[in-house]
Every structure is written in structure tokens, then in C-alpha cells.
Amino acid sequence: MSVRMALPPDPVDLAPLRAGDKVLLNGSVYTARDAAHQKIAAALERGDTLPFDPHGQVIYYTGPTPAGITPAGSQRIIGSAGPTTSGRMDVYTPALLQAGLAAMIGKGQRRPEVVEAIRTHQAVYFAAVGGTGALLAQKIVSAEVVAYPELGPEAVHRLCIEDFPAVVAVDCHGNDLYELGRRLFEVRDL
Amino acid sequence: MNSIHVDAIVQGVADLCIEANCCLGDDVVRALRDAFAKETSALGRNALEQILENADIARREGLPICQDTGLAVFFVEIGQDVVVEGGELEEALHEGVRRGYHQGFLRQSVVDDPFLRRNTGDNTPAVIHMTVCGGSALKITIAPKGAGSENMSALKMLSPSDGIEGVLEFVVETVNKAGGNPCPPVIIGVGVGGTMEKACLLAKKALLRDVGQAHPEPRLAEIENELLSRVNRLGIGPAGYGGIVTALAVHLEVFPTHIAMLPVAVNINCHAARHRTLIL
């Protein structure tokens, strides 16, 4: 069974989540990937205004395809929009967690120092299934570019998501599904 | 003599880009269904269910299977009796990518320079591998390649004394390090022999085979099986959530090499293994 979660999350709702729990995410998230993270990190360092206040918010690591037209001829809200590899954002993540970021959505394992920062700041790292961008696009009900439009697919979007399927990859205790899961199924007698 | 006008190439390539990115091959769908039947991990099964549903939605809605519609990689075989009219073949391939990625609402994922990193805005240039062969056909295969799995690929120049066991260990180690990053269940292309760049090309070409189609030579098919079995004991599983299906298949290609060399390349492909061929 999946737990329904409202976003931006109430810290009280994040605390009981454990690595491996299935969730359905509902509410608003900001998209940012490599180039946007680089810009946000630089702005944080200089003390400049950020494109959005990360405090209590959720970042979704994605760079969607252009919205396009449905076979029936109507304008889509967004194109394919699945998670990208989170590890590339690891260098920027501790500073964002320090600034109050509540959760992230991506795919793939994080560095030990990021897992540690997630634990320290009582945040959560959610994973969505990589390569399911067409399915996940159906769970996005609105999308607008809020910063860095010059970055094209890497611009920061504000998305509203509904029953967006994810699992808890790293919980606020630092339990890591990418470690625990493979340990359960690993056959060691090589 | 087969005269082909560049306009036919441009439009053909544009259509290939869209088809390859929106319609997952039947061979991949079959392999994913088999994986679903085999997988014992609950989260792994759940991930496979989403992957299969995604393929259906993509095909039905004309949406890209994955938002990373990749760098357009081409393998082109041009018969020596082919004449290309009205322009240059390479430019026609780039123009086809430009048109296909624009018309199909595919993502522009190419930057102009690895250091300056400005998006070229039309997903060009493509990466083109061209060979001249006999006959009068022009065979164009596109294999859009996403970064998630390409970034987890690796090359190692082994010593001949490392032998088969050295090759097996390097492949397993590469998949192990990649973990959940390359969107498992993956397809693993392995190239052994030749020179450094030849091994990489072999590994990439190995990915063009229908998923799970064994190497015709039994001794090489046996190595593929051994590798698949070892990789699937790593426990990484679908989406990296833990499970028994980390890879759908291992495809091995070999080539003669130097008395002092044993190059091994591992090219990992995500489960969205996309390729399409056009023959003109």
C-alpha cells in the first residue's frame, strides 16, 4: 500500500517514513537539474536571491521534453518528465539541505555525505522509477517555468503533481533503500 | 546503382528519431514481461509494472518513453553502389535529427562544447559511425543514447594474462559500481578485443542486437550467460530497489587483437533500449 503525502511536506508527515515505503506525492515541487543547481549553488554562496526559497520545499530532478500536442490535437501540460540521476546533484545538495530543503525526488544512490546531510536535516530523498517519464507526465497537472528559461529543458519549473508514485529511498534516519534492497537480494557465493 | 535523394534520407531519419523514442521495441517489452514473471522483489515488481505501463502510454500518446531522448547515435552502412543526390549524406543525417527532434517534441540534450556547455538547441550534432560495404543499399540505424546509462559505461585495457576471468570480473565490477544509476534492468554491451576505440564500438554495436538474442558462437554465448548470471546475483534489481533482475541480457562482441592487448569495453543501456533501422 502507498501512503499519500501532501507537498510541500509537513515535517510531522516526513518523520515516520522509512526507506522502502511506497508513497503517492500530491502538491507542488520545483524542478532543477545540473545547470540550475550550479546557478542556485552560486547564488546561495553569494547570498543572492534564489529563484525560490528552498525552505520546506521539494526539488524534483528532471528535465522534461517539450510539452507538444496530444494525438487528439490539444496542448499538453508537459512532455515526458521522469527523474534524472540524482548523484550528479550531490555536490550541491548539502548546501540546499542547510538552506532548509525538505525533500528531493530523483533516481539512483546518493553519496554517503548526502545521506548524512539528509539525516542531519531530517529530510527525505524519494525515488521515482527512471525511464518512466511518459507515465509520470500523466501525474503532472500543471507546469510553469519560474526561473532560468534560457536553460531550456534545464529551466526551473514549478509543477503541481497528483498521486505521483515514488518510494522512500533515504529516510530521515539515513536508511538507504539502494543499500538495503541489494543486500536483501545479493547472492554472495560468487 | 541506387540513387537516393537527401530529402528521402532527411525525412526517413526524422521519422526514425520519433519512432525510436516513442515506441519501445517488442523484443524489449517481451524481456521486461519475462523479468516481471521472474522477479521476486515486491518493489522490483512494482518498478517493472510501471516500466511496462510507461511503454504503453508512450506508444499510445506519442510521448517519449523517457525524457532523456538522448544523443542521436547512428550506425550507417552504405553500399558502394549507392549515390546520394542533392546534398551530403552526413548533413542529411544531422538535418533529419534536427527535424525529428523538433517535430516529435523530443528533448534537446546536446551542448556545443564539453567545457562551454551551451545547448545547441536542435540536438545536433549526431554521433555517426559509417562503414562502406558491398551492394546498393543504404542502411541507417539510430540508437538514441541517454546519459544515465552512458555515464556508467567503462573501458579497461587488460593484460592477456587476465584472460576470460579478468573480463568477467571487470564487467561485473562495472555493473556493481553503477548500481541503480543506469535505470536497471539494464542491457549490457561488452566489446572485447581490437584496440581501445574498437572495443568501445563493439560494445555499443552489441546493444543493437534484439534483447537476449545469444551470440551465434556457442563459446561466446556461454560467456554471455555466465555474465548475466553473475550480474543478476548482485541484487541491484529493477530501478536499483533490490531484486534478482539487474540485467535483461548481456551481449558480447569480439574482434582480433594485438599479442599484448586485451581491451574490454562495457556499454550499459537502460531498460529503455531504443533503436530503429531504415533501409533505402
Side-chain angles (χ1 to χ4, degrees):
Chain A
M1 269 303 286
S2 299
V3 184
R4 299 189 87 195
M5 281 281 307
L7 304 181
D10 186 327
V12 173
D13 294 333
L14 286 184
L17 294 178
R18 290 295 172 271
D21 286 354
K22 290 198 287 178
V23 289
L24 290 171
L25 304 174
N26 288 273
S28 72
V29 299
Y30 291 94
T31 71
R33 47 171 296 151
D34 309 57
H37 269 79
Q38 205 177 358
K39 283 182 175 254
I40 291 169
L44 258 177
E45 216 174 285
R46 287 191 308 260
D48 285 356
T49 329
L50 300 177
F52 62 93
D53 179 1
H55 194 268
Q57 297 296 333
V58 180
I59 291 181
Y60 177 24
Y61 304 136
T62 187
T65 57
I69 313 284
T70 66
S74 55
Q75 177 68 39
R76 287 188 216 278
I77 293 159
I78 197 164
S80 196
T84 193
T85 309
S86 308
R88 292 195 315 274
M89 268 50 81
D90 280 356
V91 288
Y92 310 110
T93 302
L96 281 161
L97 289 168
Q98 181 71 41
L101 183 69
M104 298 144 283
I105 309 169
K107 58 125 174 151
Q109 56 267 30
R110 312 302 301 258
R111 283 187 199 168
E113 54 267 38
V114 171
V115 174
E116 183 52 28
I118 289 170
R119 198 185 60 77
T120 307
H121 297 285
Q122 296 290 288
V124 168
Y125 167 46
F126 296 106
V129 178
T132 62
L135 167 71
L136 294 172
Q138 315 303 308
K139 313 294 180 188
I140 297 169
V141 294
S142 74
E144 55 169 333
V145 173
V146 294
Y148 314 141
E150 70 280 8
L151 295 180
E154 296 204 67
V156 173
H157 296 69
R158 186 174 179 275
L159 306 181
C160 218
I161 58 180
E162 253 179 37
D163 285 347
F164 184 101
V167 299
V168 177
V170 178
D171 64 31
C172 64
H173 298 279
N175 298 306
D176 182 353
L177 172 64
Y178 290 104
E179 287 298 322
L180 300 172
R182 65 193 285 176
R183 225 175 288 158
L184 270 180
F185 290 91
E186 184 181 24
V187 183
R188 277 178 174 276
D189 62 345
L190 286 180
Chain B
M1 200 64 80
N2 180 8
S3 295
I4 304 168
H5 197 274
V6 283
D7 290 350
I9 298 170
V10 170
Q11 195 50 52
V13 166
D15 294 343
L16 273 192
C17 292
I18 298 171
E19 259 179 58
N21 273 298
C22 300
C23 302
L24 195 60
D26 294 339
D27 57 325
V28 187
V29 173
R30 251 194 319 273
L32 286 165
R33 286 202 188 115
D34 289 350
F36 181 73
K38 239 184 281 175
E39 185 55 66
T40 54
S41 143
L43 283 178
R45 284 173 66 83
N46 197 240
L48 287 167
E49 228 167 9
Q50 289 179 42
I51 290 166
L52 283 162
E53 190 188 348
N54 182 72
D56 276 349
I57 293 171
R59 186 179 289 263
R60 193 173 65 232
E61 295 285 323
L63 265 171
I65 299 157
C66 177
Q67 74 289 339
D68 188 351
T69 49
L71 219 156
V73 178
F74 286 98
F75 285 94
V76 180
E77 288 169 33
I78 181 162
Q80 56 193 17
D81 295 332
V82 170
V83 175
V84 176
E85 288 181 333
E88 287 175 22
L89 175 56
E90 282 216 14
E91 183 41 40
L93 297 172
H94 294 308
E95 182 55 29
V97 168
R98 212 169 272 135
R99 194 183 288 183
Y101 274 68
H102 176 73
Q103 287 176 349
F105 300 102
L106 308 178
R107 197 178 73 184
Q108 320 293 0
S109 311
V110 177
V111 291
D112 63 344
D113 179 289
F115 300 117
L116 301 174
R117 306 198 75 82
R118 291 166 303 212
N119 198 307
T120 60
D122 60 8
N123 218 54
T124 66
V127 171
I128 302 168
H129 305 292
M130 193 135 25
T131 47
V132 180
C133 54
S136 59
L138 174 62
K139 184 177 171 193
I140 301 170
T141 298
I142 186 175
K145 194 66 167 72
S149 58
E150 194 73 356
N151 280 342
M152 297 295 119
S153 301
L155 167 81
K156 194 169 183 183
M157 304 303 283
L158 296 180
S159 171
S161 65
D162 293 323
I164 289 184
E165 193 51 38
V167 170
L168 296 175
E169 275 172 22
F170 176 61
V171 176
V172 174
E173 178 198 316
T174 302
V175 179
N176 189 36
K177 262 197 224 155
N181 284 344
C183 292
V186 293
I187 295 146
I188 303 162
V190 181
V192 182
T195 48
M196 184 188 92
E197 84 285 4
K198 183 69 183 179
C200 292
L201 264 176
L202 289 171
K204 177 135 285 164
K205 260 194 153 162
L207 294 172
L208 301 179
R209 242 193 263 162
D210 270 4
V211 177
Q213 190 194 337
H215 196 285
E217 233 181 289
R219 70 186 172 95
L220 298 177
E222 206 176 301
I223 297 174
E224 291 177 335
N225 281 335
E226 175 62 20
L227 274 171
L228 184 62
S229 137
R230 287 200 195 185
V231 160
N232 282 339
R233 289 163 149 211
L234 291 171
I236 295 165
Y241 297 165
I244 63 168
V245 187
T246 297
L248 298 173
V250 178
H251 296 166
L252 171 68
E253 293 291 339
V254 299
F255 193 82
T257 188
H258 189 279
I259 47 173
M261 297 198 308
L262 181 56
V264 185
V266 183
N267 198 195
I268 300 181
N269 209 113
C270 57
H271 56 76
R274 295 154 283 184
H275 49 87
R276 276 285 190 286
T277 298
L278 167 75
I279 297 172
L280 289 169

